[in-house]
Amino acid sequence: TEFGLKNTIKVERAKRNMTQAELALKVGVSRKTINTIETGKFFPSTLPAIRSDRSFDLEIESSFELVQNNQSTTNTPIIHKTN
């Protein structure tokens, strides 16, 4: 089974009138990394994901969702399930 990782980072950032650069500074990554996460070209390691949710005052895993391939959106990275 294939899984994708959806996120709402761009939406959460926009709600707070925050730029990619501002979020990147809070999370400790580059602006380009924030961009690639938002566009679904890259999914972050645990630490940046936790830091991004904390900078939005959200519970951990609030802005990321693991979905099955048939539910994933365009540009969602695919994770292959291993047994």
Side-chain angles (χ1 to χ4, degrees), residues 12-67:
E12 294 299 335
R13 187 175 56 76
K15 285 181 188 176
R16 293 158 180 81
N17 295 315
M18 186 183 292
T19 66
Q20 288 179 341
E22 290 168 333
L23 178 58
L25 186 62
K26 287 185 173 203
V27 175
V29 298
S30 70
R31 185 211 55 81
K32 185 175 180 178
T33 298
I34 297 298
N35 179 269
T36 58
I37 292 169
E38 288 182 354
T39 59
K41 295 177 183 172
F42 172 76
F43 50 90
S45 65
T46 305
L47 194 54
I50 290 171
R51 286 181 178 161
S52 66
D53 282 350
R54 285 192 178 161
S55 52
F56 296 138
D57 293 323
L58 297 174
E59 292 183 25
I60 303 306
E61 298 181 17
S62 294
S63 60
F64 293 91
E65 180 185 1
L66 189 64
V67 295

